[in-house]
Amino acid sequence: MTNTAQPPPASGARSARPEHLGHVIFITAAAAMGGFLFGYDSSVINGAVEAIRDRYDIGSGTLAQVIAIALIGCAVGAATAGRIADRIGRIRCMQIAAVLFTVSAVGSALPFALWDLALWRIIGGFAIGMASVIGPAYIAEVSPPAYRGRLASFQQAAIVIGIAVSQLVNYGILQLADGEQRGEIGGLEAWQWMLGVMVVPAVLYGLLSFAIPESPRFLISVGKVDKAKQVLFEVEGKNVDLNARIIEIDHAMRREHKSTFKDLLGSRFGFLPIVWVGIGLSVFQQLVGINVAFYYSATLWQSVGVDPSSSFLYSFTTSIINIIGTVIAMVLVDRIGRRPLALIGSAGMAIALALEAWAFSADLVDGKLPETQGIVALIAAHVFVLFFALSWGVVVWVFLGEMFPNRIRAAALGIAASAQWIANWAITASFPSLADWNLSGTYVIYTVFAVLSIPFVLRYVKETKGKALEEMG
């Protein structure tokens, strides 16, 4: 279609301002429903942890595996979603994820035994992994460059709203069950309702996927140029030279042959350096222990003497702080840039985690932390989540949607997201046993990773603010 040796003509896309920004926001929000389900499904298990332990009479090690096993599905889903999306399209990939979310919700609510509960969680994890890849990739591909940072933030905003809604639903169900996770409501135990309610957003996600257009980059890759022009007109506006824009995108995609796993490999150290940077961002995002706050917070607070209803309430207030931090990041990500936010967040998280480690080092008195340490632990936990949300929670997904060259974006994002899920699994599976060993020491480990993330960003991570996707790499 175009001479790959010559630069494409300027299209004006970099400064494009769509006439119907509301339509672009709707498209982005619909795609981000996968992020909502990602957050909801990841966090909803928080309300069922102690009930599952009691119902199946299992110890911390087995319990951790049941909770964390979904993350194996996440890693597989993330690793394969890029290839699936390149083969059948971004929208079809979303629809497959919606079906898997629905099946997982029904199965998890009605398990026959511990083994099939684990199986349904793996299936749900596969859907989460797919959503974690396809959401940011699709949003990056349909967003006008001038708005891309803010629109890419929708993915993380949807994730944190999903987390908050899951905790609110869990709290409401717990109240209906008189504060008992195993209390009966309509013939099912409270924790089963917690896991089953996800059917509602899963079905909505599937329906919304029929109301949004396919990615213009995928349409161009399969020769549907007229449809791609129509989508570009919708999302980038009439002031963009559509023919030049098509050539620009096609030129970027044709600079090298179609992406394969081999394209991610370098001559040294396995992957290309840019892929390792993406993996590093993903891994550091998890190794600070953020998902302990969402998978185990109710259990954590109960372990230091907080009653069950209050522990669920604290889980919900943490989720609200998460939303506030995400909104702050959405406002700042295109103003001050991705790297400064990441560095601010790393410093704030390190301080908060260190304070939590100090607070949890105190001996329990009558099964509770001393008053001072209890207050410090509670405040520091919320500060930690705030700094994570206004930084790494958002900027990692923005980076992963932007930083890779077009030719490897989907595959590289899949590898990075898969690494994220593996790191998530390591933290989630190890926390109950580490907490039994030394809760304070566990938080010291998370503090160390928060500190190490600072030199990593300073040395290896480049700013992507304001650049068109075709400029990457």
Side-chain angles (χ1 to χ4, degrees), residues 47-57 181-182 189-191:
V49 171
E50 292 307 306
I52 292 170
R53 185 201 299 267
D54 183 64
R55 175 162 174 168
Y56 298 106
D57 191 24
Q181 292 182 31
R182 296 200 60 191
E189 295 183 6
W191 69 273

Side-chain angles (χ1 to χ4, degrees), residues 66-415:
V66 174
I67 304 306
I69 199 168
L71 301 172
I72 301 300
C74 291
V76 175
T80 58
R83 303 303 301 156
I84 294 171
D86 284 343
R87 186 174 295 273
I88 66 174
R90 280 59 165 154
I91 299 300
R92 289 284 179 266
C93 196
M94 292 180 196
Q95 291 163 354
I96 291 170
V99 170
L100 294 177
F101 274 123
T102 303
V103 170
S104 171
V106 175
S108 298
L110 303 170
F112 299 107
L114 190 63
W115 69 267
D116 76 300
L117 174 61
L119 174 64
W120 299 122
R121 286 190 51 71
I122 292 173
I123 292 172
F126 192 91
I128 295 174
M130 292 181 73
S132 74
V133 170
I134 202 60
Y138 174 86
I139 292 169
E141 290 177 352
V142 300
S143 298
Y147 293 92
R148 197 178 60 240
R150 281 164 284 183
L151 293 174
S153 300
F154 274 48
Q155 172 78 357
Q156 181 64 17
I159 292 171
V160 299
I161 291 171
I163 291 170
V165 170
S166 74
Q167 299 310 304
L168 184 59
V169 169
N170 283 357
Y171 182 72
I173 291 172
L174 190 70
Q175 299 312 301
L176 291 175
D178 298 322
E180 296 292 332
Q181 292 182 31
R182 296 200 60 191
E184 277 206 10
I185 305 172
L188 296 178
E189 295 183 6
W191 69 273
Q192 293 175 275
W193 283 105
M194 293 176 185
L195 301 182
V197 167
M198 194 180 70
V199 166
V200 176
V203 171
L204 179 60
Y205 180 43
L207 293 175
L208 285 172
S209 71
F210 288 97
I212 58 177
E214 182 55 84
S215 158
R217 285 168 179 78
F218 174 75
L219 292 171
I220 293 169
S221 74
V222 295
K224 297 182 179 180
V225 175
D226 289 340
K227 285 188 177 181
K229 284 184 181 179
Q230 182 180 345
V231 176
L232 287 168
F233 178 78
E234 290 178 19
V235 300
E236 294 189 356
K238 64 183 180 182
N239 294 323
V240 174
D241 183 335
L242 294 179
N243 289 323
R245 187 73 174 112
I246 293 292
I247 293 172
E248 186 177 78
I249 294 170
D250 182 69
H251 180 274
M253 292 193 299
R254 289 174 180 262
R255 276 185 294 188
E256 296 194 27
H257 62 278
K258 189 164 183 174
S259 172
T260 65
F261 181 79
K262 189 176 180 181
D263 291 324
L264 304 181
L265 303 178
S267 58
R268 300 175 61 193
F269 309 118
F271 293 119
L272 293 167
I274 190 67
V275 179
W276 279 119
V277 174
I279 290 171
L281 285 166
S282 289
V283 169
F284 272 116
Q285 188 197 55
Q286 296 303 313
L287 293 185
V288 295
I290 185 60
N291 280 307
V292 168
F294 300 123
Y295 296 159
Y296 294 114
S297 60
T299 298
L300 174 64
W301 294 121
Q302 289 173 47
S303 73
V304 292
V306 176
D307 66 86
S309 289
S310 295
S311 72
F312 272 67
L313 182 61
Y314 293 153
S315 296
F316 177 63
T317 58
T318 300
S319 299
I320 297 302
I321 293 295
N322 200 13
I323 293 174
I324 292 169
T326 301
V327 171
I328 293 171
M330 291 175 70
V331 171
L332 296 179
V333 68
D334 279 328
R335 295 185 181 180
I336 70 172
R338 289 69 160 139
R339 287 179 83 242
L341 276 183
L343 293 169
I344 291 167
S346 293
M349 288 190 296
I351 293 169
L353 287 166
L355 288 171
E356 284 193 83
W358 171 79
F360 290 134
S361 68
D363 293 329
L364 300 183
V365 179
D366 297 326
K368 296 183 179 182
L369 285 174
E371 183 177 0
T372 300
Q373 282 84 350
I375 292 172
V376 169
L378 190 58
I379 293 173
H382 285 74
V383 170
F384 165 61
V385 171
L386 176 66
F387 274 96
F388 175 86
L390 65 81
S391 60
W392 284 75
V394 167
V395 298
V396 168
W397 291 111
V398 176
F399 270 129
L400 294 183
E402 294 179 338
M403 65 188 288
F404 302 114
N406 266 340
R407 65 185 178 84
I408 64 167
R409 178 170 295 112
L413 207 162
I415 292 297

Side-chain angles (χ1 to χ4, degrees), residues 407-468:
R407 65 185 178 84
I408 64 167
R409 178 170 295 112
L413 207 162
I415 292 297
S418 182
Q420 183 174 130
W421 289 116
I422 292 170
N424 190 339
W425 171 83
I427 293 296
T428 305
S430 63
F431 177 75
S433 297
L434 285 173
D436 287 348
W437 160 68
N438 189 315
L439 186 57
S440 177
T442 302
Y443 275 83
V444 169
I445 294 171
Y446 301 154
T447 304
V448 169
F449 284 119
V451 171
L452 290 176
S453 68
I454 295 173
F456 173 79
V457 171
L458 288 172
R459 181 165 183 177
Y460 297 111
V461 180
K462 295 181 180 179
E463 183 61 74
T464 58
K465 171 188 171 185
K467 294 182 179 180

